[in-house]
C-alpha cells in the first residue's frame, strides 16, 4: 500500500505541471503570431484604423509622409494631401480612427501634394492640427486700426472738403482709429485731388476742393495716417482716350465684364509707362502721404479666361513661348506677371519717396471654408499673391479681404461662413504669407443679399481681424455711421 500511494503521488505531481506548460506554450505562440502580424502591417503601404472589424480610417501613404501624395479615406469621404501654396503642404493622416491634418513648411517647394525636399521644422503651433481647426502662426504686432472712407457718399449733405475732412478725422480719433484708407481716385469720376496728369480728370465736387489735401492736413494734425487707395489697371479716361490700351477678348473686342469698370492691358508698353507716371504724379504732389495702396488689381473678372488678348499681350507671350497656346498654363503665368509688374511699379515708386506701399485683394475661399491657394487665385483672376510677396522690393503691407457674409451669401452657407470664420481664414492667411510682409485683414459691415451682419457680428469679425496681425481695416465710415456701430468699432479697437 505505501508503495502504491507513492506511485500515485508521483503520477499526480507530473500531471500538476501539464497545465502551466500548456499556458506557457500558448503565450509563446501568441507572441509569435503578434510579431508576424506586426511585421506584415509594417510592410503595408496603407495605415488602417479599425474598430469592431469595421475600417474607420486609412492613409495611402502610410501616415505623415511629406514626400508622397497621400489620400486618407474615412467611410466614403476622401482627403487628399495638397499644397496650400508653393511652400505649405497640408498633410492628411489618420488619428484615433478619424482624419487629421498637419501644416508643413517645405524647405524647397510644395508640388502636387508633396514636399520636394526634406521639410524645414514647422513652427510648433502649426503642427498637429485636427480636422476643422486652425492655429495661428507668424503672429504680428498690431500697428494699424484702419477705416475706409469714400467722399462720394457725402454729396449734397452740406459739407465742404474741409468740413468733411474734419468730421472723418474726429470720428476716427473718437473711436481708436489710427489709419484712414481714402479712395483717392475713382476709376470713373476721377481724382479727389488736384492733378493735370494726362488721361485723368478731377472729380467735380470734393475733388476740385482738393479733398486729399484737406484730409491729410486734418489727419496729421491729430496723429492719424492717410493711405491713398488707387486703381491698378482700371481707368475710364485712359480707356476712352486710348482704345489700343484696352484689355481684349479672344475675338479682339473690348473686355467689358462689368458696368463702370474699364480694364487696360497690363502688358501694353504705353499703358505701363502711363501708369508709372500716374503714380509718380500722385506722390510727387503729395509727398506727405503715409502710404499708397494698389486697390484690387485684376485681369479676369469672372475667372473664365476671357482676358487678356490685347495684341501686345499676345505678341510678348509668343516671343517668350513660341510654341505656346493662348490660355495654357504658361499663358496664365504670363498674364499674372503683367499685373504683378504694375504692382512692382507702385511699390518701387513709393519706396523711392519713403512712402509705404500697400496691396489689397480678396482672398477667396473654397466651399469648405479653407482659403484657395495663391496659384488657384492667380490662374483664375490674374492676381498673384505669391508673385507680389516674392518681389525683391516687397509691399510693406498685404491686405486680404476676408468678408464672411460675402461667402455666406454666395455659397448660401452661414454654418461655415460666419463671424468666427474670420479667425480661421486669418490664421490661414498668416501661414500663407509666411512672414514675407506685414498682414492686414479687411472686414465689412456691408450686407450681401439677405446676409446683413448685426453690429455685434461686425464687432466680432473686426476683433478677429486685428488679433495676431499687423492691422485690421473695415468698410466703411458711412456704414458705421448709418448703423450706429461706432461703439462696436471703439470696443474692437480698444
Amino acid at each position: 500500500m505505501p508503495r502504491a500511494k507513492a506511485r500515485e503521488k508521483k503520477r499526480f505531481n507530473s500531471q500538476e505541471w501539464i497545465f502551466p506548460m500548456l499556458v506557457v506554450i500558448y503565450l509563446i505562440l501568441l507572441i509569435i503570431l503578434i510579431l508576424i502580424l506586426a511585421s506584415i502591417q509594417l510592410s503595408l503601404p496603407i495605415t488602417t484604423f479599425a474598430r469592431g472589424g469595421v475600417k474607420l480610417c486609412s492613409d495611402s501613404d502610410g501616415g505623415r509622409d511629406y514626400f508622397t501624395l497621400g489620400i486618407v479615406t474615412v467611410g466614403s469621404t476622401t482627403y487628399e494631401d495638397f499644397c496650400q501654396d508653393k511652400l505649405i503642404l497640408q498633410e492628411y493622416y489618420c488619428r484615433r480612427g478619424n482624419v487629421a491634418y498637419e501644416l508643413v513648411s517645405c524647405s524647397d517647394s510644395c508640388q502636387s501634394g508633396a514636399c520636394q525636399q526634406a521639410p524645414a521644422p514647422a513652427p510648433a503651433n502649426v503642427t498637429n492640427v485636427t480636422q476643422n481647426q486652425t492655429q495661428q502662426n507668424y503672429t504680428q504686432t498690431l500697428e494699424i486700426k484702419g477705416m475706409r472712407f469714400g467722399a462720394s457718399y457725402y454729396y449734397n449733405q452740406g459739407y465742404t472738403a474741409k468740413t468733411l475732412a474734419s468730421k472723418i478725422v474726429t470720428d476716427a480719433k473718437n473711436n481708436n482709429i489710427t489709419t484712414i484708407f481714402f479712395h483717392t481716385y475713382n476709376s470713373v469720376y476721377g481724382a479727389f485731388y488736384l492733378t493735370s496728369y494726362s488721361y485723368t480728370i478731377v472729380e467735380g465736387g470734393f475733388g476740385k476742393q482738393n479733398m486729399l489735401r484737406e484730409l491729410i492736413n486734418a489727419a496729421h494734425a491729430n496723429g492719424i495716417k492717410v493711405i491713398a487707395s488707387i486703381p491698378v489697371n482700371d481707368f475710364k479716361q485712359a480707356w476712352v482716350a486710348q482704345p489700343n490700351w484696352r484689355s481684349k477678348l479672344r475675338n479682339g473686342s473690348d473686355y467689358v465684364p462689368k458696368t463702370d469698370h474699364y480694364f487696360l492691358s497690363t502688358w501694353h508698353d504705353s499703358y505701363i509707362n502711363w501708369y508709372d507716371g500716374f503714380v509718380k504724379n500722385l506722390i510727387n504732389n503729395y509727398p506727405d502721404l503715409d502710404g499708397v495702396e494698389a486697390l484690387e488689381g485684376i485681369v479676369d473678372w469672372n475667372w473664365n479666361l476671357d482676358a487678356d488678348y490685347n495684341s501686345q499681350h499676345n505678341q510678348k507671350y509668343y516671343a517668350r513661348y513660341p510654341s505656346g497656346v493662348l490660355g495654357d498654363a504658361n499663358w496664365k503665368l504670363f498674364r499674372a506677371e503683367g499685373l504683378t509688374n504694375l504692382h512692382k511699379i507702385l511699390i518701387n515708386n513709393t519706396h523711392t519717396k519713403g512712402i509705404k506701399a500697400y496691396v489689397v485683394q480678396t482672398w477667396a475661399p473654397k466651399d469648405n471654408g479653407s482659403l484657395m491657394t495663391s496659384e488657384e487665385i492667380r490662374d483664375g483672376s490674374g492676381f498673384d499673391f505669391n508673385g507680389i510677396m516674392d518681389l525683391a522690393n516687397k509691399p510693406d503691407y498685404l491686405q486680404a479681404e476676408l468678408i464672411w457674409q460675402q461667402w455666406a451669401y454666395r455659397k448660401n452657407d452661414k454654418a461655415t461662413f460666419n463671424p468666427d470664420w474670420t479667425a480661421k481664414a486669418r490664421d490661414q492667411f498668416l501661414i500663407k504669407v509666411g512672414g514675407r510682409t506685414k498682414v492686414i485683414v479687411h472686414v465689412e459691415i456691408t450686407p450681401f443679399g439677405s446676409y446683413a451682419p448685426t453690429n455685434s457680428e461686425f464687432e466680432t469679425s473686426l476683433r478677429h481681424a486685428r488679433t495676431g496681425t499687423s492691422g485690421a481695416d473695415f468698410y466703411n465710415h458711412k456704414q458705421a455711421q448709418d448703423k450706429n456701430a461706432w461703439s462696436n468699432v471703439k470696443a474692437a479697437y480698444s
Side-chain angles (χ1 to χ4, degrees):
M1 288 295 294
R3 185 173 296 177
K5 287 183 177 179
R7 285 198 299 271
E8 183 68 20
K9 184 175 182 181
K10 184 175 181 181
R11 188 163 51 249
F12 176 81
N13 289 340
S14 64
Q15 291 175 349
E16 204 173 41
W17 285 97
I18 292 175
F19 180 76
M21 288 178 65
L22 289 174
V23 171
V24 171
I25 293 170
Y26 175 80
L27 291 174
I28 291 172
L29 291 174
L30 182 61
I31 291 170
I32 292 172
L33 179 62
I34 291 171
L35 290 173
I36 292 172
L37 291 174
S39 65
I40 293 173
Q41 178 68 21
L42 288 173
S43 67
L44 291 175
I46 296 179
T47 300
T48 302
F49 293 83
R51 184 178 298 140
V54 179
K55 186 185 293 183
L56 298 179
C57 183
S58 64
D59 187 353
S60 66
D61 64 5
R64 284 181 271 188
D65 183 345
Y66 307 132
F67 316 112
T68 303
L69 172 66
I71 300 175
V72 169
T73 303
V74 181
S76 61
T77 305
T78 59
Y79 304 84
E80 183 174 310
D81 300 340
F82 70 93
C83 299
Q84 287 198 356
D85 56 32
K86 70 178 186 178
L87 289 176
I88 301 297
L89 167 68
Q90 185 156 323
E91 171 76 13
Y92 287 101
Y93 63 96
C94 292
R95 182 183 183 191
R96 298 176 183 173
N98 207 338
V99 66
Y101 70 81
E102 175 183 9
L103 299 179
V104 179
S105 176
C106 300
S107 62
D108 179 42
S109 66
C110 185
Q111 299 176 29
S112 302
C115 288
Q116 299 307 296
Q117 290 185 5
N125 58 350
V126 182
T127 58
N128 298 323
V129 183
T130 57
Q131 185 183 12
N132 296 325
Q133 293 179 324
T134 56
Q135 293 182 346
Q136 189 170 325
N137 182 33
Y138 300 111
T139 300
Q140 300 182 1
T141 301
L142 183 67
E143 298 175 357
I144 292 174
K145 301 173 186 178
M147 174 184 70
R148 297 266 158 184
F149 161 58
S152 58
Y153 286 98
Y154 299 90
Y155 292 135
N156 302 318
Q157 296 182 35
Y159 293 107
T160 65
K162 190 178 189 70
T163 59
L164 180 56
S166 177
K167 173 181 173 51
I168 299 302
V169 169
T170 298
D171 288 344
K173 187 174 182 180
N174 289 342
N175 293 287
N176 298 327
I177 293 162
T178 64
T179 306
I180 298 169
F181 290 85
F182 176 42
H183 290 246
T184 303
Y185 195 97
N186 182 287
S187 60
V188 176
Y189 300 107
F192 285 90
Y193 58 95
L194 299 180
T195 179
S196 58
Y197 188 66
S198 61
Y199 310 136
T200 65
I201 60 172
V202 176
E203 188 274 334
F206 295 118
K208 289 187 175 180
Q209 299 175 48
N210 206 353
M211 184 76 228
L212 178 58
R213 171 49 57 205
E214 298 292 352
L215 184 63
I216 292 173
N217 291 347
H220 285 181
N222 287 274
I224 295 173
K225 295 179 180 179
V226 175
I227 313 302
S229 186
I230 61 173
V232 180
N233 59 323
D234 183 3
F235 294 88
K236 180 180 179 179
Q237 286 71 43
W239 189 92
V240 170
Q242 295 290 342
N244 290 335
W245 296 6
R246 298 173 187 174
S247 181
K248 301 289 184 178
L249 296 169
R250 280 180 181 266
N251 63 11
S253 60
D254 297 335
Y255 175 61
V256 186
K258 191 174 175 63
T259 303
D260 290 343
H261 283 280
Y262 298 85
F263 292 111
L264 297 147
S265 180
T266 61
W267 278 105
H268 196 288
D269 287 334
S270 296
Y271 174 67
I272 294 169
N273 292 333
W274 178 89
Y275 186 70
D276 178 61
F278 173 80
V279 175
K280 287 176 177 174
N281 176 263
L282 173 64
I283 59 179
N284 286 339
N285 286 305
Y286 299 89
D288 50 345
L289 275 167
D290 299 288
V292 178
E293 177 186 68
L295 177 65
E296 299 175 339
I298 193 169
V299 179
D300 192 343
W301 184 271
N302 293 313
W303 295 37
N304 57 6
L305 303 183
D306 272 353
D308 172 24
Y309 301 92
N310 181 284
S311 60
Q312 284 207 19
H313 185 286
N314 295 346
Q315 290 168 12
K316 291 180 179 180
Y317 168 71
Y318 285 128
R320 185 180 298 181
Y321 302 101
S323 60
V325 177
L326 297 179
D328 67 10
N330 285 330
W331 180 86
K332 292 175 184 176
L333 290 170
F334 185 80
R335 177 178 72 165
E337 183 183 333
L339 186 60
T340 297
N341 285 337
L342 291 179
H343 286 81
K344 181 179 179 180
I345 286 171
L346 184 147
I347 295 165
N348 289 346
N349 280 325
T350 54
H351 284 177
T352 298
K353 291 289 186 179
I355 297 171
K356 301 293 186 184
Y358 295 69
V359 174
V360 61
Q361 183 54 275
T362 298
W363 200 307
K366 302 177 183 179
D367 288 345
N368 65 3
S370 64
L371 297 182
M372 289 183 174
T373 66
S374 174
E375 289 74 19
E376 288 171 323
I377 295 171
R378 176 198 68 202
D379 291 348
S381 70
F383 181 92
D384 189 356
F385 277 102
N386 277 335
I388 291 170
M389 286 188 286
D390 288 339
L391 290 170
N393 193 8
K394 305 178 191 302
D396 299 281
Y397 296 90
L398 181 66
Q399 185 165 175
E401 298 174 358
L402 303 176
I403 307 166
W404 67 265
Q405 66 270 28
Q406 175 183 13
W407 304 108
Y409 168 65
R410 289 192 180 182
K411 300 175 185 293
N412 193 26
D413 182 7
K414 194 175 179 181
T416 300
F417 299 99
N418 52 55
D420 288 333
W421 173 81
T422 310
K424 298 174 184 178
R426 172 206 65 209
D427 290 348
Q428 293 176 61
F429 178 41
L430 283 163
I431 291 171
K432 290 177 183 296
V433 172
R436 284 176 284 178
T437 189
K438 294 179 180 179
V439 161
I440 301 173
V441 172
H442 170 91
V443 299
E444 298 194 5
I445 196 171
T446 311
F448 282 77
S450 60
Y451 293 90
T454 65
N455 286 5
S456 177
E457 288 176 326
F458 166 60
E459 181 181 332
T460 297
S461 62
L462 189 56
R463 286 182 182 275
H464 287 321
R466 61 160 288 178
T467 302
T469 65
S470 289
D473 156 60
F474 72 90
Y475 185 92
N476 63 8
H477 176 277
K478 186 64 164 60
Q479 292 185 351
Q481 175 180 275
D482 290 349
K483 297 186 179 184
N484 297 314
W486 288 125
S487 62
N488 304 95
V489 172
K490 187 172 185 177
Y493 280 163
S494 294

